[in-house]
């Protein structure tokens, strides 16, 4: 089960960080791009090579990476080739891959998405779902039948899903915080997560249905931690979006587990701030972030090691 | 503006139908697949050729097609090539293309999705967003800032978006029908659609921000029609999901416009029911559906021609 492998890697690397792999040509160093173009590299190769530099520099320091598919989809077929290659390479380097796809649809279409990212698709006896990954993010707005299709694949293949509960953006409250029958909409999503979790519990007492909960909403994070105690929380919003180490500790349980904190721009484009090359700067940024989070966890007696 | 082109094509073809292009290998005729494999066709080619048969048979009868990206994504890179080629071919045949992607994300990531499907992405002076289309479906659960990024591109480039308001699946009410402050969640989404619509009004008095509203919920369809009078409604659920011509008329305005009724399986796999080849069967199914909808519109005095 991916949830068990994930916790194994968290313990091994003493890290709760997910590195967001969001390759954006306009944010990459100009000399990196121009060198690649001179070498005749394809667009997919440039995107992948950028990610490879990051992965090679941080794979021993973090348990997981999170490619955000929007930054691949925008580059068309070339982008999707880089997406496929990035997932494959990150897995080879021993990382758990959480594909940030925020997919959602109904019935057989939801099943198609699940097949695409977590399940099996065979053609002429060959597996053709190139984007097969370890875990995906899911948008719950369409209701529980959309989620159920993914859960079948999880039970069969051991993957994970993270449902969007409370996202890190400013207007997330417009729907997610609305109160209905004395409960916020996101609390209903939490209830559905608990109801889905049967038969997905791993050996560390965490199950395979997680939740996305932004670091930018610290009190909600704390509340959600209690509502879904055995779910892993994927916590975006650290760094570039303003979240700090002290903001994320409420996402953890007393066992020192239970949350993965994501940073994308703050790590992969750290060369702007740190001034070394892409990989070295990312490594320094990850070490700083690991220290920040681990120190803050120590301060609240949630440190595990 | 796509909304104007759409209505032009609706009038030209006297049709309110969108044909869903959801290519699924396991539902295609075995002799079609085996012949293609013998000819050495790639998977992308098989998927595209199936769609091409449908498009060639119906392009003069309907204003629009709706490829559902999940059925391409599940076939990996080959699937995405077919997705790209299908969009391109359908546009060449004069059809409006609504990419059913149900995307949603925050800030710059939402912008990346908008760039991917409606905007521009340049690399080395070349446009590389292969999936560029006329319109997309959007999931509103993350709040209005996610939608705003798309609206910028719409205002610049004239495309359309359809926000998920009330989806056709059984559990859609779990979040969408929840009542908060005397209003259902989907009613808040309708209000946000009206607030976004400024400056996107076309010459037929419809704006570029539409809504997805299932045929399977007829009374909600009728209510939503009134809440967002100048929005085009994309109405799935006809045919295979159980919706009938009489169910969808409430999605139309008195001008005989305002809704596009989608059918996917009922048309593209009509050969199972009708017994002719893929294209001929699809054409017969489309003609039946056009008649059914137009007759029902006549019955309620919403017939335009």
């Amino acid at each position: 089960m991916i949830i068990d492998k994930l916790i194994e890697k968290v313990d091994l690397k003493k890290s709760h960080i997910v590195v967001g792999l969001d390759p954006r040509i306009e944010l990459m160093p100009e000399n990196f791009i121009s060198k690649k173009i001179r070498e005749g590299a394809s667009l997919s190769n440039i995107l992948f090579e950028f990610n490879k530099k990051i992965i090679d520099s941080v794979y021993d320091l973090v348990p997981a990476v999170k490619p955000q598919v929007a930054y691949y989809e925008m580059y068309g077929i070339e982008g999707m080739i880089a997406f496929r290659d990035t997932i494959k390479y990150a897995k080879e380097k021993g990382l758990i891959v959480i594909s940030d796809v925020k997919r959602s649809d109904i019935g057989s279409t939801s099943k198609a998405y699940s097949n695409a990212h977590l399940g099996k698709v065979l053609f002429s006896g060959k597996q053709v779902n190139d984007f097969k990954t370890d875990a995906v993010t899911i948008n719950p707005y369409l209701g529980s039948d959309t989620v159920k299709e993914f859960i079948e694949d999880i039970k069969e293949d051991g993957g994970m899903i993270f449902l969007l509960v409370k996202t890190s953006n400013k207007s997330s409250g417009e729907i997610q915080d609305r109160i209905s029958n004395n409960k916020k909409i996101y609390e209903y999503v939490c209830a559905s997560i608990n109801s889905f979790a049967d038969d997905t519990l791993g050996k560390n007492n965490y199950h395979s249905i997680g939740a996305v909960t932004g670091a930018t909403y610290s009190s909600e994070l704390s509340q959600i931690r209690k509502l879904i105690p055995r779910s892993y929380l994927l916590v975006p919003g650290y760094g570039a979006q303003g979240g700090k180490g002290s903001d994320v500790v409420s996402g953890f349980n007393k066992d020192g587990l239970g949350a993965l904190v994501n940073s994308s721009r703050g790590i992969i484009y750290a060369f702007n701030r740190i001034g070394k090359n892409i990989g070295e700067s990312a490594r320094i940024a990850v070490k700083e972030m690991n220290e920040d989070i681990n120190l803050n966890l120590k301060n609240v007696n949630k440190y595990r090691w």
Side-chain angles (χ1 to χ4, degrees), chain A:
Chain A
M1 287 172 84
I2 292 300
I3 180 65
D4 288 333
K5 283 191 194 160
L6 173 67
I7 293 173
E8 214 172 87
K9 287 170 200 291
V10 167
D11 277 340
L12 179 72
K13 299 170 185 181
K14 295 189 169 46
S15 170
H16 303 285
I17 296 183
V18 186
V19 176
L21 296 174
D22 304 355
R24 296 162 67 178
I25 291 287
E26 79 277 15
L27 298 184
M28 295 178 191
E30 270 177 48
N31 60 358
F32 168 77
I33 303 283
S34 55
K35 183 167 173 281
K36 285 283 164 202
I37 291 178
R38 277 198 310 277
E39 291 168 5
S42 63
L43 175 54
S44 67
N45 190 252
I46 296 175
L47 298 168
F48 173 68
E49 287 293 328
F50 180 83
N51 286 344
K52 188 170 176 294
K53 279 183 190 293
I54 304 290
I55 292 169
D56 287 343
S57 307
V58 306
Y59 76 92
D60 59 326
L61 301 178
V62 300
V65 290
K66 180 177 79 62
Q68 164 53 259
V69 71
Y71 295 109
Y72 301 84
E73 220 166 278
M74 68 185 280
Y75 296 115
I77 301 299
E78 291 287 311
M80 297 312 285
I81 291 171
F83 185 62
R84 174 196 67 189
D85 294 348
T86 298
I87 293 170
K88 187 163 175 281
Y89 187 70
K91 281 189 191 173
E92 282 168 14
K93 298 297 275 185
L95 292 161
I96 299 292
V97 181
I98 302 168
S99 294
D100 197 356
V101 297
K102 297 188 176 66
R103 297 305 192 240
S104 174
D105 217 296
I106 70 169
S108 55
T109 308
S110 204
K111 182 74 187 161
Y113 274 134
S114 182
N115 286 341
H117 299 282
L118 295 175
K120 279 190 195 74
V121 184
L122 294 167
F123 178 68
S124 289
K126 220 186 104 192
Q127 198 148 335
V128 294
N129 52 338
D130 293 322
F131 311 130
K132 164 97 172 174
T133 188
D134 295 317
V136 291
T137 54
I138 304 273
N139 186 318
Y141 177 71
L142 275 65
S144 59
D145 50 9
T146 174
V147 182
K148 277 180 190 147
E149 305 289 342
F150 287 86
I151 295 197
E152 276 179 35
D153 276 327
I154 284 175
K155 289 189 178 168
E156 195 171 317
D157 211 54
M160 281 185 82
I161 54 173
F162 292 88
L163 267 69
L164 303 186
V165 169
K166 173 68 185 167
T167 54
S168 61
N169 54 315
K170 273 189 190 156
S171 69
S172 69
E174 287 174 7
I175 291 181
Q176 296 161 29
D177 293 356
R178 286 225 165 265
I179 293 171
S180 175
N181 246 336
N182 299 317
K183 269 169 78 174
K184 290 181 177 170
I185 292 297
Y186 71 72
E187 297 176 52
Y188 289 102
V189 178
C190 287
S192 79
I193 288 176
N194 285 330
S195 77
F196 287 135
D198 286 357
D199 308 326
T200 75
L201 204 69
K203 61 184 178 189
N204 286 287
N205 212 22
Y206 284 94
H207 56 66
S208 303
I209 322 294
V212 176
T213 312
T216 46
Y217 295 103
S218 193
S219 69
E220 285 84 349
L221 179 59
S222 171
Q223 180 207 8
I224 290 164
R225 178 65 292 164
K226 291 178 190 84
L227 288 174
I228 45 174
R230 306 324 310 165
S231 281
Y232 238 83
L233 306 184
L234 176 60
V235 184
Y238 180 98
Q241 287 183 55
K244 298 189 191 88
S246 54
D247 295 323
V248 301
V249 292
S250 58
F252 288 80
N253 281 318
K254 283 185 183 156
D255 60 4
L257 292 173
L260 287 171
V261 184
N262 179 77
S263 175
S264 307
R265 281 168 283 174
I267 292 171
I268 67 176
Y269 304 117
F271 57 85
N272 286 315
R273 177 172 61 87
I274 292 170
K276 298 188 186 266
N277 71 29
I278 299 168
E280 284 175 82
S281 301
R283 188 169 177 86
I284 291 168
V286 163
K287 283 187 174 176
E288 287 172 357
M289 186 173 161
N290 267 335
E291 270 174 41
D292 179 35
I293 291 172
N294 289 342
L295 184 67
N296 275 284
L297 287 172
K298 265 185 195 154
N299 289 343
V300 296
N301 289 318
K302 289 180 178 174
Y303 191 61
R304 182 171 171 83
W305 305 292

